[in-house]
Amino acid sequence: MNGNDIEHARTAGGRPLSPAAGSNTPRPATKPDGHLAADRPEISPVARTRRLESRRPPLEERMTELAIRVLAYSAVAAMILILIFIAKEAWPILTSAAIHREVTLAKMWFIQQWPGYDAPEHVWQPVSEIPKYGVWPLVVGTIKVTLIAMVVAVPLAVSAAVFVSQYAGRRTREIVKPAIEFLAGIPSVVLGFFALMVMASWFQDTFGFDSRLNALVAGVALSFAVIPVVFTVCEEALGAVPRSYVEASAALGAARWQTITRVVLPAAAPGIAASIALGLGRAFGETMIVLMASGNAAILSANPAESVRTLSATIAAELAEVVFGGPHYTVLFTLAVLLFIVTFGINFIGDQAIARMKRKMGVAQ
Amino acid sequence: MKGSSLRPSRLPHAGDIVLWLATGLATLLVLVILLVILIDVVKNGAPRLTLGFLTKAPSDGMTAGGIFPAIFGTVALVILMTIAALPAGVATAIYLHEYASPTAWGTRIVRIAVNNLAGVPSIVFGLFGLGFFVQFVGGGMDKIFYGGDKVFGQPALIWAALTMAILTLPVVIVATEEALSNVSPDVRLASAALGATKFQTVSRVVLPQAVPGILTGAILAISRGAGEVAPILFTGAAYFLPTLPHTVHDQFMQLGYHVYVLATQSPDVDATRPILYATVLVLLVLTFALNASAILVRSRMRRHLSRAHG
């Protein structure tokens, strides 16, 4: 339902309603605020029909509508301001000679020979005599933790979504769905706390890790935050598969599992892909869980049993201690720009997939 | 629904048993994870949770006393946040749902912004709050009104609340839009047929019916705002304050931040452990109560609507 339908009703099925038809009604003299709807035969201020108006709505209505229009762009304004102000603080990395004496984009991304090291290495050591801003340990750490989280979360969440939407009865569904909403409602600092205080010890006792806090602990804890995101979108996508598909499949003699794996899942594939993309965006940008549970050592290694430091945790842990406008400060904002762009890209792809799915299902129904 | 009505009457297929078991076990595992977290927190947190814990300030280097300042700060934060986020979020939803043409480029840009705002990492909000609110707006206000004295140009309750408001804006917008789309088209047409202007229809017919949905959005936003820590790390949260915040430009303590600090920066982990668990329990109870009431309001609304529309 949107404005156009009402316009349609008001213009008598497309034919413009003569403005005179309404406004000829005699007006009671004492109706200054137009409380009686019948006193206001004017047509709404949708631009398409503005030409029809003999009398416009009162000024205060038009002012309020203007305010709504302006406020509606607050999300757009927020996005633009976020980009501008993050980029503004990161900008000196490209232009400032004072910062270039310590760090450049090239020094961040390309391998460097540091004094005292035998071979060239990627090193993140922003607080040392010679500050080193090699970002690869952070990037690899982020990818490592994100991958572990996705490997744990996606099979669990997608399976749970299949179970809830395809097999579960009404009562099971009424338990599982709110429970997963509760899981989504657990603040990430609580998940981080749980990983730090409880899970890390369990994992160490079970696997005998050298470092108590490591990529595996952080990744598994992170998956708890990702599961609800993937589940919710996935379940919605599976539920949106037209009933006629399922009925046609059953009528052809397919068993339930055949219908699920060969009809429902392929039909919902764009939605499932979107759910994974949105979960990935969440995992990539999540801060508190990894800050608390990953051990925060910037080691360049693929081993999941070692401590890691992610991009988001680096910003959270280091920004409080840096000199405003200094090289370290600028580098941290540069990392934030990177985080922003990557999550924006991932989410954009996810949203496009959802929109496509909705269009497809809309046509099919 | 589908599952029950279309299940074949003959014996279940072997493939069905396998798929049912596999997906059912995954679902069970997710529920078990939730339960384990809850049981651990309740078991370890409940003994320390007394009235004094809720009403006293921390003492003896965070190893004794309560968490009242953190509760106070959290409540103050979400109140200010709601005041900022609710009007903007509701207005955006009204515009998107009632006024905008769905295909206009302006509408599309607003939608892309709302969707992507929901995906911006929370730490990026924190940096933005520091760069924009604290330094640009606050610093600017200091230069203009206070002759360069630091009043607003430092981390403060108001800046943390505004940062959090932007973070929770999409929650309010999505919930309000859902509420608006649940209002039957018939009442809009009826209102229009009576000659009401667009604005009269929206403000007196549509909005009153959407109030429960808007309330759901506000509650969900509060629940989110009460638990987020990353956005307030640099915009106003403090580790320990001897007094409660008096004005909006004071710093504040907050439950989630308190958990973070106690868990990671405590010199004596064993001494703070009971307090830490009790604080987590308070935070969980708070967010769960909020989420539960949101679910309740929503399901009531749905039941009401399904009765109304048959």
Side-chain angles (χ1 to χ4, degrees):
Chain A
M1 178 82 195
N2 61 48
N4 295 337
D5 300 347
I6 287 184
E7 279 324 306
H8 197 68
R10 293 174 62 90
T11 51
R15 270 174 293 111
L17 193 73
S18 158
S23 50
N24 274 350
T25 344
R27 279 178 157 244
T30 53
K31 282 283 176 216
D33 58 344
H35 261 305
L36 261 181
D39 287 343
R40 299 268 171 214
E42 300 86 358
I43 289 162
S44 97
V46 171
R48 193 162 67 81
T49 52
R50 186 155 280 164
R51 62 197 162 80
L52 297 176
E53 288 172 19
S54 56
R55 240 174 264 144
R56 304 169 113 203
L59 185 67
E60 68 268 19
E61 276 187 22
R62 276 182 287 139
M63 292 309 285
T64 322
E65 282 176 334
L66 185 69
I68 289 174
R69 264 160 220 269
V70 172
L71 275 176
Y73 282 86
S74 51
V76 179
M79 277 307 272
I80 293 172
L81 284 175
I82 289 173
L83 193 56
I84 288 178
F85 274 84
I86 304 288
K88 182 174 88 89
E89 304 295 324
W91 187 247
I93 194 88
L94 297 176
T95 57
S96 160
I99 292 197
H100 282 175
R101 272 196 291 279
E102 206 167 281
V103 56
T104 60
L105 272 185
K107 275 192 192 166
M108 287 167 70
W109 290 97
F110 296 122
I111 199 159
Q112 300 288 314
Q113 174 68 57
W114 301 102
Y117 283 74
D118 296 335
E121 254 187 78
H122 294 287
V123 190
W124 176 265
Q125 253 175 31
V127 189
S128 69
E129 213 165 307
I130 305 165
K132 307 173 191 71
Y133 298 101
V135 292
W136 279 106
L138 310 181
V139 173
V140 171
T142 308
I143 293 173
K144 202 158 73 172
V145 174
T146 306
L147 258 184
I148 294 170
M150 296 306 286
V151 166
V152 176
V154 169
L156 281 180
V158 175
S159 301
V162 168
F163 182 78
V164 168
S165 70
Q166 307 297 318
Y167 283 117
R170 195 192 153 98
R171 206 175 302 160
T172 317
R173 206 172 320 151
E174 275 174 9
I175 295 170
V176 176
K177 284 180 79 169
I180 292 183
E181 275 186 55
F182 273 135
L183 187 61
I186 295 183
S188 57
V189 70
V190 172
L191 293 177
F193 149 87
F194 184 74
L196 171 72
M197 303 290 286
V198 183
M199 271 171 57
S201 303
W202 290 349
F203 276 53
Q204 200 175 26
D205 293 345
T206 314
F207 302 108
F209 293 142
D210 291 333
S211 40
R212 196 173 159 272
L213 300 177
N214 51 55
L216 191 67
V217 173
V220 173
L222 188 54
S223 75
F224 300 165
V226 176
I227 286 171
V229 178
V230 179
F231 173 85
T232 309
V233 181
C234 210
E235 205 260 343
E236 200 181 319
L238 291 167
V241 174
R243 209 182 145 79
S244 53
Y245 286 25
V246 180
E247 282 165 353
S249 171
L252 289 171
R256 189 85 189 117
W257 71 276
Q258 288 166 324
T259 306
I260 293 171
T261 52
R262 296 186 205 165
V263 176
V264 177
L265 283 177
I272 297 169
S275 77
I276 295 172
L278 295 181
L280 187 65
R282 174 77 205 267
F284 193 79
E286 173 54 50
T287 308
M288 297 315 290
I289 296 173
V290 284
L291 178 62
M292 294 169 82
S294 67
N296 284 322
I299 304 165
L300 187 61
S301 132
N303 184 355
E306 286 201 68
S307 283
V308 286
R309 192 175 188 107
T310 67
L311 291 165
S312 55
T314 303
I315 299 170
E318 294 178 6
L319 192 77
E321 273 111 53
V322 301
V323 182
F324 275 74
H328 192 182
Y329 177 89
T330 309
V331 168
L332 291 180
F333 271 88
T334 309
L335 298 185
V337 172
L338 180 67
L339 265 184
F340 183 89
I341 292 173
V342 172
T343 46
F344 188 95
I346 295 172
N347 287 313
F348 189 79
I349 293 169
D351 287 331
Q352 293 303 309
I354 290 179
R356 194 138 132 225
M357 161 112 186
K358 280 191 176 150
R359 271 201 305 275
K360 198 173 124 190
M361 292 302 171
V363 171
Q365 272 165 340
Chain B
M1 278 242 333
K2 284 175 211 161
S4 46
S5 61
L6 291 175
R7 199 169 288 157
S9 51
R10 58 194 151 83
L11 278 175
H13 212 280
D16 266 322
I17 297 174
V18 172
L19 192 61
W20 185 88
L21 261 182
T23 56
L25 279 178
T27 312
L28 193 65
L29 185 57
V30 174
L31 297 185
V32 167
I33 290 170
L34 178 68
L35 269 183
V36 167
I37 296 175
L38 294 188
I39 290 172
D40 180 68
V41 171
V42 171
K43 196 182 76 190
N44 293 293
R48 189 68 181 72
L49 194 62
T50 58
L51 192 63
F53 184 73
L54 298 176
T55 54
K56 283 197 198 117
S59 50
D60 299 322
M62 300 284 189
T63 56
I67 51 165
F68 180 69
I71 296 175
F72 181 89
T74 307
V75 172
L77 177 77
V78 297
I79 290 175
L80 287 174
M81 174 203 88
T82 312
I83 293 173
L86 204 56
V90 172
T92 307
I94 291 176
Y95 175 74
L96 284 177
H97 199 265
E98 304 292 326
Y99 285 96
S101 136
T103 49
W105 63 269
T107 322
R108 255 188 256 159
I109 287 181
V110 173
R111 274 199 198 285
I112 289 174
V114 172
N115 286 340
N116 282 284
L117 199 57
V120 171
S122 50
I123 187 70
V124 173
F125 281 101
L127 289 194
F128 165 68
L130 177 70
F132 179 68
F133 288 123
V134 177
Q135 290 176 283
F136 182 74
V137 180
M141 283 166 70
D142 284 352
K143 262 188 219 134
I144 296 166
F145 301 115
Y146 299 95
D149 290 344
K150 272 214 182 300
V151 178
F152 279 100
Q154 55 194 348
L157 183 55
I158 181 77
W159 304 139
L162 289 177
T163 307
M164 205 65 102
I166 294 181
L167 182 132
T168 52
L169 196 59
V171 180
V172 179
I173 295 173
V174 169
T176 307
E177 250 205 290
E178 203 202 320
L180 292 175
S181 64
N182 280 338
V183 176
S184 158
D186 300 349
V187 298
R188 277 173 250 243
L189 296 178
S191 172
L194 288 170
T197 62
K198 178 88 182 186
F199 182 75
Q200 285 168 332
T201 304
V202 170
S203 63
R204 296 185 206 169
V205 178
V206 178
L207 266 188
Q209 289 200 38
V211 164
I214 296 171
L215 198 63
T216 312
I219 298 170
L220 287 177
I222 291 171
S223 159
R224 177 93 196 270
E228 279 283 349
V229 177
I232 61 169
L233 282 175
F234 318 117
T235 53
Y239 170 50
F240 177 75
L241 294 168
T243 58
L244 295 176
H246 297 296
T247 65
V248 292
H249 53 77
D250 284 338
Q251 285 193 295
F252 63 103
M253 290 171 70
Q254 193 250 17
L255 283 170
Y257 189 66
H258 202 64
V259 169
Y260 166 62
V261 169
L262 284 180
T264 56
Q265 279 151 44
S266 165
D268 184 356
V269 180
D270 288 324
T272 49
R273 185 188 296 261
I275 292 190
L276 175 55
Y277 262 106
T279 312
V280 171
L281 181 58
V282 171
L283 183 57
L284 267 188
V285 168
L286 181 73
T287 49
F288 275 21
L290 286 167
N291 278 315
S293 52
I295 292 174
L296 216 71
V297 170
R298 197 172 42 192
S299 68
R300 264 208 191 167
M301 178 178 76
R302 287 205 178 128
R303 224 173 309 143
H304 177 79
L305 280 171
S306 64
R307 255 207 313 275
H309 305 315

